[in-house]
Amino acid sequence: PSPWWQNIAGLGSTTAHALEAQLLQVFPELEITPASPPVGYQSVIMPLEHIVLAQHLDGRICTNRSPVTPFIPAVEDYQAIQVLLGRYDPNSHTVRSYRREAERLLLWAVVVKQKPVSSLNVSDMSEYRSFLADPQPRELWIGVAQAKPKSSWKPFTGPLSPRSRRYAETVLNNLMSFLVSQHYLLHNPISALPKLKTPAGQRPLDVNRAFNEAHWQLICQVVEQKIISADEYSQAKWLRNQLLLHLGFNLGLRLHELA
């Protein structure tokens, strides 16, 4: 069957799952399971909203669940992810980013590692870091960009760049940290990984938007002329501007540091 929310105008999967989470708070005994996919996907790889997990892979039986009752209405990983997504505007870039990265990690965990997200450890996350740089087998994970209802949909369009991998880890670290803070997970396995190096920091300084020496000398001359020709009130302002320019030029201060 199709998801129940598809027949309701203006209601998407994220808002629908947020509503389910609210219902679980009022009716804890309520059993809500993801609907079967309306599209016949060509492999076990399918979008987050269509995933149906066996109980040994859904997070109920795992190694990293908190021993105390969680603060969120979730008994398995899928519900926990939906609670997280339900905190944000369903049309925001944040939701799209969190859904995409949670979707990729969940698929990788159950397909490659054959374990729930709630059982991933630091070694798994190190392996996942390498996977993002080269998702293999390619025919299973990589395809052309297309809408999710397409049966040939894939979670990747190619290997992720260093910048995209850093962003993916930032998103997943936030996700895991949230679940730890809500006593759903015992610890965050990503936090133990060494930070990815920033290649941009190894590149030459980009000076395309900087003044050259001739520009700087002209600026100094103009400011000095303003100081000389200004009245007493305006002269104080231009003296201040001169001080700010030289502090910025000689010390390289950020704006808030300069302030």
Side-chain angles (χ1 to χ4, degrees):
S2 299
W4 62 267
W5 61 83
Q6 282 196 345
N7 295 324
I8 303 176
L11 185 62
S13 62
T14 300
T15 305
H17 288 306
L19 177 59
E20 292 174 348
Q22 292 297 319
L23 288 173
L24 284 171
Q25 289 183 337
V26 181
F27 306 104
E29 72 282 359
L30 187 65
E31 288 289 335
I32 298 178
T33 57
S36 301
V39 176
Y41 287 89
Q42 296 177 356
S43 70
V44 293
I45 304 300
M46 61 184 65
L48 180 66
E49 55 267 25
H50 295 159
I51 295 174
V52 180
L53 298 174
Q55 186 164 333
H56 72 287
L57 294 174
D58 68 5
R60 299 168 198 252
I61 305 171
C62 57
T63 59
N64 189 27
R65 284 289 296 273
S66 174
V68 301
T69 302
F71 296 152
I72 57 176
V75 296
E76 46 94 359
D77 296 342
Y78 185 92
Q79 292 175 344
I81 291 170
Q82 294 301 335
V83 170
L84 172 71
L85 296 178
R87 299 166 62 217
Y88 303 101
D89 178 356
N91 298 315
S92 66
H93 175 71
T94 299
V95 162
R96 290 192 293 271
S97 298
Y98 275 65
R99 183 191 295 116
R100 179 185 64 239
E101 300 309 332
E103 181 177 70
R104 289 170 172 174
L105 181 64
L106 178 63
L107 287 170
W108 180 83
V110 299
V111 173
V112 176
K113 302 302 293 183
Q114 288 290 295
K115 60 169 64 174
V117 169
S118 292
S119 287
L120 295 177
N121 55 42
V122 64
S123 296
D124 296 323
M125 296 313 302
S126 180
E127 187 178 336
Y128 184 66
R129 171 181 282 183
S130 300
F131 170 80
L132 291 180
D134 185 24
Q136 294 292 337
R138 188 179 184 89
E139 62 274 11
L140 183 64
W141 295 99
I142 296 176
V144 297
Q146 58 185 303
K148 285 185 176 182
K150 299 290 185 180
S151 61
S152 57
W153 172 86
K154 303 295 182 186
F156 297 92
T157 58
L160 297 191
S161 67
R163 180 179 180 181
S164 295
R165 296 200 300 274
R166 288 195 306 275
Y167 182 73
E169 287 195 14
T170 298
V171 169
L172 292 175
N173 183 58
N174 291 341
L175 186 155
M176 296 284 190
S177 295
F178 169 76
L179 295 181
V180 170
S181 72
Q182 298 303 303
H183 291 180
Y184 181 82
L185 293 181
L186 185 59
H187 68 90
N188 176 2
I190 299 179
S191 63
L193 287 178
K195 297 296 183 182
L196 284 171
K197 293 183 179 180
T198 304
Q202 302 168 1
R203 298 181 194 139
L205 182 64
D206 181 8
V207 296
N208 290 324
R209 299 176 64 185
F211 294 122
N212 59 32
E213 184 63 26
H215 293 153
W216 174 245
Q217 292 300 329
L218 177 60
I219 291 171
C220 291
Q221 291 172 12
V222 170
V223 173
E224 288 172 0
Q225 291 171 1
K226 291 288 186 180
I227 293 173
I228 294 172
S229 62
D231 58 33
E232 183 178 355
Y233 174 75
S234 298
Q235 189 179 61
K237 293 174 59 178
W238 281 106
L239 283 169
R240 181 196 62 182
N241 292 340
Q242 185 183 51
L243 173 64
L244 293 175
L245 285 168
H246 283 280
L247 283 175
F249 180 82
N250 292 298
L251 301 180
L253 296 174
R254 297 180 179 89
L255 183 58
H256 71 277
E257 295 168 337
L258 192 60

